[in-house]
Amino acid sequence: MPTARRAAFAALAAAAAAPAAARILAAPARAADWRPDRPVRLVVPFAPGGNTDLVARVIGPRMSERLGQPVVVENRAGAAGSVAAAQVARARPDGLTLMIGSNGPMAINPITRTDLGYEPLRDFAPLGLVVRTPLALAVHRDLPARDVAALIAHAKASPGRVVFGSPGVASTGHLTLEMFNAATGAGITHAPYQSGGALTPDLVAGTVAGAFVEVATVLPLHREGAVRILAVTAGRRLRVAPELPTVEEAGVPGFRAASFVGVVAPAGVPGEAMAALHAALAAAVRDPEVRRRLEEMGSEMAGEEEASPAGFAAFLQRETEWTRLAAERAGLRRPQ
């Protein structure tokens, strides 16, 4: 993204984040003054087993230790996360209901869907970003491209014939592919699947030439030789696979993309409860065992600023604008 546009988005993010941050900071932030008197629900807006679910189950027990009550992970799938998000947005703002906030319900759905029943930046109070999970640019083992530059050249030499799959239209993998095409002119064709589980076997079989998929999904396949990871969409090389270059290192300046996972509460939770909940989340994220497990999944831990309520609010605004650009590039329009 050009420097001027990045600067404009940064200013917009700061302006948008200011009201949310002000609400959090204006209320008494005495974490020691508030403790839940019942178990806290941590709603995951997807089925069990995915990245968001795994993150919730790693941080939940550590949050429970700090809060003195169980943190119960509750999976509530439907409409790409929108069903759970709408329900949590309407939940009583007493600090006893939280939600895992990720790309779908927090950034993608508001751009591509109507009648959500919620507005992320209005109806949720961010607690903090936990991790980013970069994507791997993975290709079939027989594709005649050993690096990103060769992939771009190969795609340009065969216009429209190089096909990448994704877990579905408007998925993070799809939007990342569209931004890659925009940045490089590669002209790779998109083939949507119904899920990541349906895509992976076809990537291994060579039905599709490649895909942008979460690192944890394809790293074992890469090490087995079933697929080849050309690069990762992270800001720096991953601790779990330091041998893999970033897309930026491979010659596409400024190119980054990731699934993200944070925690949000319904808007209106009192300041002392927000402070206690954030303190519990921060303690969980600082725990060495939690960090080790999340990094082994191919995730990058959030920095101190983005792990704060105000920092996560600003992050969500930036992510929404990135998603809007990618959706426009993909020709996706929110129905009127």
Side-chain angles (χ1 to χ4, degrees):
M1 188 185 299
T3 301
R5 181 169 286 180
R6 280 202 301 268
F9 284 164
L12 180 61
R23 288 195 301 270
I24 293 166
L25 296 176
R30 297 186 296 272
D33 291 350
W34 184 87
R35 288 289 183 272
D37 58 3
R38 297 189 299 280
V40 175
R41 293 188 304 145
L42 179 56
V43 177
V44 175
F46 302 103
N51 185 61
T52 52
D53 180 61
L54 294 173
V55 172
R57 294 179 189 280
V58 170
I59 65 173
R62 294 296 185 267
M63 292 182 68
S64 176
E65 291 172 4
R66 178 74 179 236
L67 293 171
Q69 288 283 350
V71 174
V72 180
V73 176
E74 179 180 312
N75 296 89
R76 197 178 298 173
S82 294
V83 170
Q87 292 173 346
V88 172
R90 296 192 298 269
R92 180 178 297 176
D94 55 10
L96 298 178
T97 301
L98 306 175
M99 187 182 79
I100 290 290
S102 61
N103 302 63
M106 300 304 292
I108 295 175
N109 295 350
I111 302 297
T112 60
R113 294 172 177 260
T114 57
D115 301 324
L116 292 181
Y118 69 95
E119 171 56 50
L121 299 177
R122 179 195 67 202
D123 295 334
F124 292 103
L127 281 177
L129 181 66
V130 178
V131 294
R132 293 185 186 85
T133 302
L135 307 183
L137 197 179
V139 298
H140 184 257
R141 60 184 177 275
D142 292 337
L143 191 76
R146 312 299 297 191
D147 56 36
V148 173
L151 169 66
I152 295 168
H154 175 66
K156 287 181 175 179
S158 307
R161 296 177 60 187
V162 176
V163 178
F164 270 34
S166 84
V169 173
S171 64
T172 303
H174 175 204
L175 298 180
T176 301
L177 172 61
E178 296 297 344
M179 294 303 274
F180 183 78
N181 278 337
T184 65
I188 295 170
T189 298
H190 173 235
Y193 282 71
Q194 293 300 311
S195 67
L199 165 63
T200 302
D202 274 9
L203 175 60
V204 172
T207 305
V208 291
F212 283 95
V213 290
E214 291 181 350
V215 173
T217 300
V218 292
L219 188 57
L221 299 173
H222 168 79
R223 289 175 171 165
E224 294 167 6
V227 302
R228 188 164 62 251
I229 297 177
L230 302 185
V232 295
T233 62
R236 59 182 181 275
R237 295 195 180 204
L238 302 180
R239 182 176 300 181
V240 71
E243 73 278 8
L244 298 175
T246 67
V247 176
E248 190 168 11
E249 284 180 306
V252 187
F255 191 88
R256 300 179 188 181
S259 300
F260 67 84
V261 178
V263 180
V264 299
V269 173
E272 61 271 20
M274 286 293 292
L277 292 166
H278 170 67
L281 177 61
V285 171
R286 285 195 301 267
D287 183 274
E289 179 62 15
V290 168
R291 298 179 74 89
R292 182 190 67 79
R293 292 178 65 184
L294 294 178
E295 287 175 346
E296 284 180 351
M297 292 163 51
S299 296
E300 297 178 306
M301 303 304 299
E304 183 176 351
E305 172 59 27
E306 290 175 339
S308 71
F312 189 27
F315 172 88
L316 288 172
Q317 180 63 39
R318 292 194 300 270
E319 195 68 22
T320 299
E321 293 303 330
W322 183 92
T323 301
R324 194 184 312 279
L325 281 177
E328 289 174 358
R329 176 65 181 79
L332 301 175
R333 296 289 185 272
R334 183 172 179 169
Q336 299 300 315

